[in-house]
Amino acid sequence: MLCVCVCGCAAAGYTVFEPIAVFSDDILFSAKISGGRADYVYKRMKDAISEIDNEISLSKADSALSRFNNAAQNERIEVGEHAFNLFKLSCEYYELTDGAFNCAALPLSRLWRVDSASLACLNGESDAADLPSPERVNETTAYCDPNTVTAECVDGRYYLTKTNGNTELDFGGIAKGYAVDECVDILNEYDVSSALIDISGNAYFYGSYIDSGVSSDWGVGVLSPRPRNGPSLSRGYVVALSLGGDVSAVTSGDYMRYRTVETSDGKIYVPHIMRANGVPLGVEYDGNNWKNSDDWVISATVIGNSSALSDALSTAMCALGIDKGGELLKKVGYKGLIFTEKKYTIIGEVSLYRPDIYDGYRRYDYYEL
Amino acid sequence: MNFERIKRVKSSKAFTVPDAIVSVIMVIAVIACALFVYRLPSADVIISVRGEKDIRLSLDSETDIELKHLTVHIHGGQVWVTDADCADKTCENIGKISGTWQRIVCLPNGVVISVTGDDDSLQWEIGR
Ligand SMILES: [Zn+2]
């Protein structure tokens, strides 16, 4: 009996924790953890994630971030350590990405009705009447700047203060990655040799993949950005990655959260990813109307050590475009892939897993940066 | 040690006819095992209807599937559509597909048929 159990455990290798909703109903946390303390490690991770959520949730009216967003100009709001850390990281990434990653863009998302709350009640479709005027966009962009917020740490307590009453923060763009990094810290505390942590596509591969005692790279499929809707199965993989251990991989794209708007010239797509000019990815003004651009980034994958930075960079690469986004990734020293509607490029030494089978990238033209 | 026996072995032919037969059989066996272990993972056909239902079948399945608005044929490693009731017949005109990630789409009926690889060998997926 003991033998059966021991053999069974050795063969199974990982304890698999099925997806559960964290942060919000559509953000799922899943894990695979090797070793005897998997259940305990998992529980610690779950607790860490809900601790972060309690501080930064925008659907909880009493969270520190909700209180900050509702605060008046110059009103000092005490926040927790996570909210403070997330703000500091977000400011760092705002500078790094030339404003492409912006934790203060919530009023813009709301203006375009691509924030989580609007997308949930719009159910995707609407007409051109509710698209903002370019003037409104410019007005709003002016105060969507994390530099209008001051952060202080006094005697071990953390405070955020707005210098513009309209400013609101949303850490949705790096919270998943930040939470994954916190989970990795927990894995480091225990004797875990191999694990996989995933919060809605923000994945971290801890150690090598172990199958029946043999270590190998992780084979990771990157879902195709097209067709935009439909079940993931019919989208297939645009490419698969072969990842050695201790690395995070994150994909952002225009297909994840967007709405369609019926204009006089036809249907346009408005993705939730906002650019530094206050206009969503793939959208431009032709002098009379908002329309979709000829080509834009539809999927950007970043591979790097920090999941928070990978999370921010994958969004920023969509906003920056294939050239600037690729250059930024090179500068940071992370690896990745960028796809536009027509072409793709690879940054750094990315090893593809079975490109003979996972060859969706062949539908795009290779573009040399 | 038996010196007589050593001498006899040393004087015998190094490679006899039975040896050759055994060798050939062994080589064939090794190749067969290698082919079995490393056989190419077969591709799958995924039929998605109105973005709701996913049907997954092997590309080798040699079958015909009658859906409400069209019939999908999977034969000889190829997939094609006939008897579509849509007006444009785009799905039928695409013809036969076989390569991975090729696709037949019948927009009016919301049917997407794609050929994919063996996803089971992957440990995870990102980009949802
Ligand atoms: Zn058709």
Side-chain angles (χ1 to χ4, degrees):
Chain A
M1 187 63 207
L2 180 72
C3 173
V4 170
C5 175
V6 169
C7 296
C9 296
Y14 295 95
T15 307
V16 177
F17 299 93
E18 295 300 332
I20 54 158
V22 293
F23 295 128
S24 71
D25 291 345
D26 58 348
I27 297 181
L28 303 175
F29 168 51
S30 3
K32 271 173 151 185
I33 305 167
S34 74
R37 305 189 72 180
D39 288 294
Y40 182 70
V41 171
Y42 175 73
K43 196 189 167 297
R44 288 239 6 228
M45 290 180 180
K46 229 168 66 176
D47 292 346
I49 296 170
S50 66
E51 201 179 284
I52 298 167
D53 186 37
N54 287 336
E55 287 185 32
I56 63 151
S57 169
L58 295 180
S59 53
K60 292 175 182 153
D62 59 340
S63 75
L65 204 62
S66 291
R67 281 187 291 112
F68 171 85
N69 283 350
N70 292 323
Q73 187 178 356
N74 298 327
E75 187 185 346
R76 195 165 82 154
I77 301 294
E78 181 168 359
V79 298
E81 192 183 355
H82 291 305
F84 183 82
N85 288 343
L86 280 162
F87 178 71
K88 290 302 236 182
L89 273 179
S90 297
C91 290
E92 200 183 297
Y93 299 162
Y94 181 79
E95 298 304 323
L96 181 71
T97 62
D98 264 334
F101 176 80
N102 185 358
C103 68
L106 183 58
L108 276 169
S109 303
R110 221 178 268 138
L111 185 67
W112 286 95
R113 302 178 75 185
V114 288
D115 57 304
S116 313
S118 303
L119 284 177
C121 73
L122 277 172
N123 214 2
E125 302 256 341
S126 61
D127 57 37
D130 64 8
L131 288 176
S133 67
E135 294 72 32
R136 284 276 283 145
V137 170
N138 290 337
E139 273 166 40
T140 312
T141 309
Y143 60 81
C144 286
D145 181 345
N147 293 314
T148 61
V149 177
T150 52
E152 301 161 273
C153 175
V154 186
D155 302 329
R157 287 167 165 253
Y158 303 97
Y159 303 94
L160 296 178
T161 311
K162 311 178 179 182
T163 57
N164 182 314
N166 293 316
T167 304
E168 288 182 63
L169 299 177
D170 177 4
F171 297 135
I174 59 164
K176 287 181 284 175
Y178 176 85
V180 166
D181 288 338
E182 291 286 304
C183 290
V184 171
D185 287 346
I186 293 168
L187 288 172
N188 284 331
E189 279 180 48
Y190 298 92
D191 190 23
V192 175
S193 52
S194 175
L196 183 156
I197 309 296
D198 180 283
I199 304 182
S200 279
N202 265 75
Y204 193 95
F205 304 91
Y206 189 89
S208 307
Y209 174 66
I210 302 168
D211 185 17
S212 315
V214 181
S215 301
S216 64
D217 285 354
W218 299 83
V220 181
V222 179
L223 277 168
S224 172
R226 294 290 183 269
R228 273 193 189 81
N229 46 21
S232 57
L233 206 56
S234 61
R235 279 206 267 126
Y237 300 110
V238 70
V239 75
L241 308 170
S242 185
L243 299 173
D246 301 324
V247 76
S248 179
V250 185
T251 301
S252 291
D254 73 334
Y255 60 98
M256 292 176 176
R257 282 190 289 149
Y258 65 91
R259 68 186 179 107
T260 54
V261 181
E262 218 49 72
T263 71
S264 49
D265 307 337
K267 188 157 85 169
I268 69 161
Y269 290 90
V270 184
H272 79 287
I273 295 171
M274 204 57 67
R275 289 176 299 172
N277 63 356
V279 179
L281 162 69
V283 178
E284 62 188 33
Y285 197 69
D286 67 1
N288 292 307
N289 269 320
W290 293 108
K291 61 181 187 77
N292 280 134
S293 319
D294 286 338
D295 198 18
W296 66 88
V297 175
I298 60 173
S299 166
T301 299
V302 176
I303 303 160
N305 298 108
S306 155
S307 197
L309 180 54
S310 302
D311 199 357
L313 285 175
S314 64
T315 310
M317 292 203 312
C318 291
L320 288 169
I322 193 164
D323 293 295
K324 281 187 182 170
E327 289 307 323
L328 173 63
L329 205 58
K330 273 187 194 166
K331 195 176 94 183
V332 174
Y334 276 20
K335 299 187 280 191
L337 297 117
I338 308 177
F339 287 86
T340 74
E341 199 90 58
K342 294 165 186 162
K343 52 189 190 268
Y344 78 99
T345 194
I346 302 182
I347 301 106
E349 299 274 302
V350 176
S351 54
L352 301 185
Y353 177 80
R354 301 221 52 174
D356 55 327
I357 301 178
Y358 304 106
D359 63 350
Y361 65 95
R362 290 188 213 272
R363 285 183 282 138
Y364 300 83
D365 294 328
Y366 179 69
Y367 177 73
E368 182 90 48
L369 270 187
Chain B
M1 264 292 152
N2 185 335
F3 286 96
E4 271 305 302
R5 196 171 152 208
I6 291 170
K7 251 170 144 177
R8 205 169 61 232
V9 171
K10 277 188 170 171
S11 65
S12 68
K13 273 187 191 163
F15 204 74
T16 61
V17 171
D19 284 343
I21 293 170
V22 168
S23 306
V24 167
I25 291 172
M26 278 171 67
V27 167
I28 291 171
V30 166
I31 291 171
C33 286
L35 282 177
F36 180 73
V37 173
Y38 296 105
R39 85 196 141 83
L40 282 174
S42 74
D44 284 345
V45 179
I46 294 170
I47 305 168
S48 151
V49 183
R50 282 255 168 263
E52 295 154 5
K53 185 164 72 174
D54 275 334
I55 305 166
R56 192 182 191 115
L57 292 150
S58 166
L59 187 57
D60 310 326
S61 58
E62 303 297 325
T63 183
D64 306 287
I65 298 138
E66 278 182 44
L67 297 172
K68 204 170 162 196
H69 302 283
L70 51 85
T71 304
V72 183
H73 306 273
I74 308 173
H75 291 284
Q78 291 186 310
V79 187
W80 68 98
V81 163
T82 60
D83 306 317
D85 65 5
C86 54
D88 59 7
K89 299 273 188 277
T90 307
C91 51
E92 288 188 22
N93 294 336
I94 289 170
K96 298 182 176 183
I97 62 166
S98 58
T100 53
W101 306 119
Q102 284 188 299
R103 218 167 245 120
I104 297 174
V105 181
C106 180
L107 270 181
N109 290 316
V111 179
V112 179
I113 302 156
S114 48
V115 179
T116 173
D118 175 10
D119 300 344
D120 301 335
S121 61
L122 293 174
Q123 278 83 53
W124 204 246
E125 64 178 34
I126 54 173
R128 265 157 296 162

